Structures are given as structure tokens and as C-alpha cells.
Amino acid sequence: MAKSAKKYLDAADREQQILDFAIDFVAQRGLHFTTRELADALGVSQPLLYRYFKNRDDLLQKIYDEVYLRRWDPGWNELLADRSMPVRERLARYLIAYTDTILDERWIRIFVASALEDPQITIRYLGLLHDTTFPLIFAEVAAEAGFEFRSTPETEVLVREIVWGFHSSFFYMGVRKFIYRNEIPESLEPIIRVRVDIFVSGVIETLPRILELSRSGPQLE
């Protein structure tokens, strides 16, 4: 942080600058850090850091808000529920927008670091998916087959696992790119549309079996 930048920034801009630096710091370093280490990397005093962030947990909450919540679009679930278009098209449009959001180095690396070192970020974000998006995706695919699906405690685990396996394949492309440093295709839309076709066709074909298994299948905590 250059001295001239520190001198002329107002409080809100200074906080944003520190937060942006902290996001880059955590993306590269992981979540095993102290506020003193962050302050040293910033070139500021620890008391100055505490002027903007009450403690380490407050900083992590603001990182979560900035990197994850600000990029979460409530309109995604509205799109998924819009039965004026076929479910395959809804899923494809949603996943094109979703992958465009999450296939970002800071998004992926902080998420993986949180899962390994301090799960508060991953737990919050996965709650958004598990509580609303995953049941909605399954219900809309079932509706395409003429079945109005309602989630119950008996179906919840199986449905979550079915959708999670499909949905996480797109997150894994980010892991390949930003963790494994492998190349992924430049254009993802054709891949998304093929995977959507396979997923929807598979769920519709096996829906009676899925519902049967949900009544006697695995019950995980």
C-alpha cells in the first residue's frame, strides 16, 4: 500500500482497498493467517487494520460478503422456476451465468482454502445451494416429466446427492483451472448444454426409481 494512496483515500475507500488486498492475500496464502501477518503484508499497523475490521472473523465475513454474496444472483432461482421455457433451457442459462461468476481464481482458491482450513465460508455458501437451488432444480426437472415434486425428509438426502453430483461438476472445472493448473475449454456453453441434456434425461428416465430409493435409501446426517 503506497503512502500516497493511504494519504488521500477516505475511510470507505481505504476499507475497500484493504479488503481487496486481503482477498488477494487469502486467495494465495489460505486462511491460516493472523491479522498481524495481514497488517505486515499491507504495510500498515495492526491497530489501523482493526479500525476497519473488528477482528479476524469480521474480516472473513466481509470477504464472504464481497466474493460470494455480492456475486450471488437471486434471479437465478427465479430463472430456474420460470416454466415459460423448457427446463433444459433454464438450466443451461442458469449454469452459463453461474460458471461465469464462480470460475474466478479468487472465488475458487478461497473456497477450497476454507473447506480445508476454516469452513465458515463454505458452510454459508453451500447452505444457499442446498436449501433452495438444489431442491428447486430437481423439482423443476420432475415437473418436466409431469410430476409435481415436493421435498420431504425422506427424499431430501437423495435429491441433494443427485443434484450435487451434477452441479459440482462445474465447480470442479474451476478447481482444474486454478488449483491443478490444467487447461479447460475456452467456451463452456456447449459442454454445459450437453451435461444438462444428460442430467435431465437421466433424472426423468429414472424418476420412479429415484422416488422409490428415497423412501428406503441412505439417510445421512
Side-chain angles (χ1 to χ4, degrees):
M1 249 177 137
K3 289 183 179 179
S4 59
K6 290 191 288 183
K7 182 177 179 180
Y8 296 110
L9 289 175
D10 63 24
D13 289 339
R14 177 82 61 83
E15 179 178 349
Q16 186 62 48
Q17 187 181 57
I18 292 173
L19 180 59
D20 287 342
F21 184 95
I23 290 169
D24 286 333
F25 179 85
V26 171
Q28 296 304 317
R29 171 75 177 266
L31 275 73
H32 281 321
F33 71 93
T34 65
T35 53
R36 180 175 295 281
E37 289 170 331
L38 176 59
D40 288 345
L42 273 162
V44 302
S45 67
Q46 199 172 17
L48 176 64
L49 192 64
Y50 285 144
R51 187 180 302 172
Y52 300 100
F53 308 100
K54 292 181 293 187
N55 50 44
R56 185 177 178 280
D57 284 343
D58 182 46
L59 174 63
L60 291 180
Q61 176 62 52
K62 287 186 169 62
I63 289 175
Y64 174 72
D65 292 345
E66 180 75 12
V67 178
Y68 298 94
L69 280 190
R70 282 189 60 183
R71 300 186 191 188
W72 177 270
D73 185 353
W76 289 337
N77 284 351
E78 295 175 11
L79 169 63
L80 288 169
D82 180 4
R83 294 185 182 179
S84 68
M85 68 183 81
V87 72
R88 285 174 171 82
E89 183 62 24
R90 284 179 269 158
L91 271 170
R93 291 188 187 187
Y94 157 67
L95 287 165
I96 289 166
Y98 184 74
T99 53
D100 187 57
T101 295
I102 73 163
L103 295 187
D104 167 84
E105 183 161 9
R106 301 195 303 179
W107 199 108
I108 295 291
R109 290 184 65 87
I110 292 173
F111 200 84
V112 172
S114 174
L116 293 172
E117 301 168 5
D118 184 344
Q120 58 179 293
I121 287 175
T122 52
I123 287 171
R124 290 174 193 155
Y125 191 82
L126 290 174
L128 289 174
L129 292 173
H130 292 172
D131 294 344
T132 58
T133 305
F134 286 6
L136 177 60
I137 287 173
F138 190 88
E140 292 304 308
V141 173
E144 191 88 347
F147 183 84
E148 291 297 324
F149 178 79
R150 295 288 182 270
S151 181
T152 68
E154 292 74 28
T155 62
E156 182 179 351
V157 172
L158 189 58
V159 165
R160 183 177 68 228
E161 294 302 314
I162 290 168
V163 180
W164 201 348
F166 163 67
H167 200 277
S168 64
S169 69
F170 301 100
F171 166 77
Y172 183 65
M173 298 186 83
V175 173
R176 286 167 51 196
K177 182 175 183 178
F178 299 116
I179 305 297
Y180 300 162
R181 302 299 179 183
N182 292 155
E183 291 186 5
I184 64 172
E186 188 171 330
S187 175
L188 296 183
E189 182 172 349
I191 296 167
I192 289 170
R193 290 189 178 275
V194 169
R195 288 187 184 178
V196 165
D197 278 340
I198 293 170
F199 172 73
V200 172
S201 297
V203 170
I204 289 176
E205 182 177 346
T206 58
L207 188 58
R209 178 61 176 154
I210 291 170
L211 296 176
E212 180 184 341
L213 284 172
S214 70
R215 290 188 286 268
S216 59
Q219 299 299 308
L220 305 179
E221 294 298 329

